[in-house]
Amino acid sequence: MLIINIKGLVGLHSKDKLVLRGSELDSLPVLENAWLLIEDDLIKDFGKMDSIPSHISNLSSHVSAEGRYIFPSWCDSHTHIVFAASREEEFAMKIQGKSYEEIAATGGGILNSANKLKKASEDELFESASVRLKQMIHLGTGAVEIKSGYGLTKESEIKMLRVIRRLKNQFPIPIKATFLAAHAYPAEFKNNHQGYIDLIINEMLPQIAEEKLADYIDVFCEKGFFSVEETDQVLKAGAKYGLKPKVHANQLSVSGAVEVSVQNSAISVDHLEESDEETIRTLRNADTIVTLLPSCSFYLGIPFADAKSFIRADLPVALATDYNPGSTPSGNMNFVVSLACIKMKMFPEQAINAATLNGAAAMEMSEDYGSITVGKKANLFITKPMPSIAYLPYSFGETQIETVILNGEIYNG
């Protein structure tokens, strides 16, 4: 596929640039008035239209992208899209001012989703997740991580992970699976935390490892959920089976979650709506990626993460949706990028880098995804005609995406 007359090719990072730290996020290389050649499923070459080689310009088949930008696909490194049903019954409770913790205490929240998921078949879960994933792809997402965590029993957690495996096999984008049984304590283990942790360690993890169902392990380390000590125990158990940590950290409080995550060599710490100087100091000494989820803050009405402080501290910042039925019922990465600019005061260049290359890095796939680089997978999207790159986050609530390209082919799924 040859694409010509491109207004701007966005995100032309070098092959050896796998993650962007601090001020590196400010640089979003763009090639104006460009052409792009895709061969098989890879980016083969690109350049300026006024210097296009004759053997390329003579190709009879080409696509014109006049007035349009081409971006690398969004890389959404934190989602929970396998769930049985929506939770709009909790929507009114939120409007009434009920907190996340108060809703959970009345049987809502994660336990609500777990009860619904227990009754759903694997086929039903696969079909509903497929609908969500297709919508996300049409909105520009070209790589995704999906967590379990609405099972909370061995049978239901395994069921969720098998659904994620089916999605991996059926969809044309890379998918990483994360085991998140340590999402909440089931009611029957409310007063027996160690009993549930033993279930995770002694029964769930061995079967997950045997079936090769997960890439990562996650824990919701937060007051009222899993303590720092409990988190450490679960992460160390997962490491014995080769599962690397990606941790829910500091969503509702500065809990010590970041410290225990870094001690366990976490790939990313996600949320960080609450942080302090010690949080930043700990992360400065690590390679852990800071994954921020602004649409969760938007929906719950909780503080937005202090993205600018993380960037000033020379940390690698990524953006993701947190798509789930309770706190972020949306998989729209375009809106996430807009919120990052509007509410977290990230510049468009910073937000786009965080949602592409650093999102890929948070899934350990930035060698192949997240930028327009020769040799990388041709997972891209072409915008509608736009006056500038900043117009994409500026025009929040609208999609500026006209064409999605996955593995070098136009996606019509």
Side-chain angles (χ1 to χ4, degrees):
M1 182 189 299
L2 173 64
I3 308 173
I4 61 172
N5 299 323
I6 305 162
K7 183 171 184 178
L9 271 177
V10 180
L12 276 61
H13 294 291
S14 62
K15 183 73 172 174
D16 61 351
K17 182 53 68 175
L18 300 181
V19 66
L20 301 167
R21 301 183 70 96
S23 61
E24 290 180 325
L25 284 158
D26 299 348
S27 176
L28 182 68
V30 179
L31 185 67
E32 297 179 346
N33 191 27
W35 57 271
L36 174 71
L37 180 64
I38 297 169
E39 193 170 283
D40 298 324
D41 59 351
L42 302 178
I43 296 169
K44 177 70 173 177
D45 203 358
F46 55 80
K48 292 186 73 68
M49 284 301 298
D50 59 11
S51 58
I52 185 170
S54 58
H55 71 278
I56 292 175
S57 61
N58 290 333
L59 290 173
S60 58
S61 175
H62 61 261
V63 175
S64 177
E66 190 166 353
R68 296 160 171 83
Y69 288 89
I70 296 184
F71 284 69
S73 293
W74 306 127
C75 296
D76 189 349
S77 62
H78 184 128
T79 81
H80 307 250
I81 65 169
V82 176
F83 55 86
S86 56
R87 291 188 351 223
E88 67 274 10
E89 67 274 15
E90 296 175 11
F91 189 51
M93 297 172 72
K94 291 185 177 73
I95 294 169
Q96 291 165 2
K98 300 286 186 186
S99 71
Y100 189 86
E101 298 97 319
E102 287 172 328
I103 292 170
T106 62
I110 295 164
L111 296 183
N112 185 1
S113 283
N115 289 332
K116 292 176 177 177
L117 187 134
K118 187 175 183 180
K119 301 168 188 172
S121 70
E122 186 177 312
D123 286 342
E124 289 169 334
L125 292 171
F126 174 77
E127 291 302 323
S128 62
S130 294
V131 170
R132 296 178 197 113
L133 190 52
K134 285 178 185 176
Q135 291 171 339
M136 293 168 69
I137 289 171
H138 283 294
L139 289 167
T141 294
V144 69
E145 179 256 20
I146 308 172
K147 303 178 190 294
S148 69
Y150 292 130
L152 308 186
T153 66
K154 179 182 177 181
E155 294 75 17
S156 291
E157 286 290 316
I158 297 296
K159 178 168 61 175
M160 289 188 75
L161 290 167
R162 286 174 177 161
V163 168
I164 297 169
R165 182 170 61 189
R166 285 177 65 180
L167 294 170
K168 281 188 181 187
N169 293 335
Q170 296 276 343
F171 278 80
I173 67 172
I175 297 172
K176 289 293 183 79
T178 298
F179 173 49
L180 179 58
H183 201 192
Y185 283 101
E188 60 269 32
F189 289 98
K190 183 178 180 181
N191 299 312
N192 180 17
H193 287 191
Q194 191 57 48
Y196 184 57
I197 291 172
D198 289 343
L199 180 66
I200 291 172
I201 294 172
N202 299 326
E203 296 191 35
M204 297 190 199
L205 275 170
Q207 184 167 347
I208 288 164
E210 183 181 344
E211 295 189 37
K212 297 181 172 62
L213 290 173
D215 303 292
Y216 302 111
I217 189 164
D218 197 344
V219 180
F220 188 12
C221 184
E222 187 56 73
K223 180 182 176 183
F225 294 87
F226 287 77
S227 71
V228 168
E229 295 74 22
E230 291 163 347
T231 298
D232 187 57
Q233 191 178 357
V234 173
L235 296 183
K236 282 182 166 54
K240 292 178 181 177
Y241 293 96
L243 301 183
K244 300 176 183 179
K246 286 170 64 72
V247 180
H248 283 63
N250 289 20
Q251 180 178 359
L252 307 173
S253 64
V254 178
S255 62
V258 169
E259 288 76 8
V260 73
S261 300
V262 168
Q263 288 164 14
N264 284 278
S265 302
I267 300 300
S268 69
V269 283
D270 301 19
H271 279 289
L272 273 66
E273 288 86 354
E274 301 290 342
S275 62
D276 58 12
E277 290 182 8
E278 184 59 33
T279 301
I280 290 175
R281 190 160 40 245
T282 300
L283 288 165
R284 268 186 172 147
N285 298 318
D287 292 324
T288 300
I289 292 170
V290 176
T291 299
L292 306 182
L293 312 168
S295 53
C296 176
S297 296
F298 172 81
Y299 187 77
L300 290 180
I302 62 176
F304 286 83
D306 187 2
K308 300 300 273 188
S309 288
F310 295 128
I311 293 171
R312 281 195 298 268
D314 201 36
L315 299 177
V317 173
L319 291 169
T321 62
D322 194 22
Y323 191 178
N324 74 80
S327 64
T328 320
S330 168
N332 188 345
M333 281 291 285
N334 305 280
F335 184 53
V336 167
V337 170
S338 293
L339 282 175
C341 297
I342 296 164
K343 292 295 188 179
M344 299 197 301
K345 307 305 179 186
M346 294 177 73
F347 298 122
E349 294 83 0
Q350 294 173 331
I352 291 164
N353 277 325
T356 53
L357 188 61
N358 278 8
M363 296 181 279
E364 299 182 291
M365 56 175 71
S366 56
E367 288 189 2
D368 296 305
Y369 300 91
S371 66
I372 295 179
T373 304
V374 172
K376 284 196 175 185
K377 290 282 188 180
N379 281 18
L380 317 160
F381 62 80
I382 306 174
T383 69
K384 299 172 184 176
M386 294 197 314
S388 68
I389 291 168
Y391 189 79
L392 191 149
Y394 160 83
S395 60
F396 80 97
E398 298 182 33
T399 178
Q400 298 304 328
I401 296 173
E402 188 171 79
T403 305
V404 171
I405 296 172
L406 297 178
N407 303 310
E409 296 182 357
I410 293 174
Y411 178 77
N412 294 309

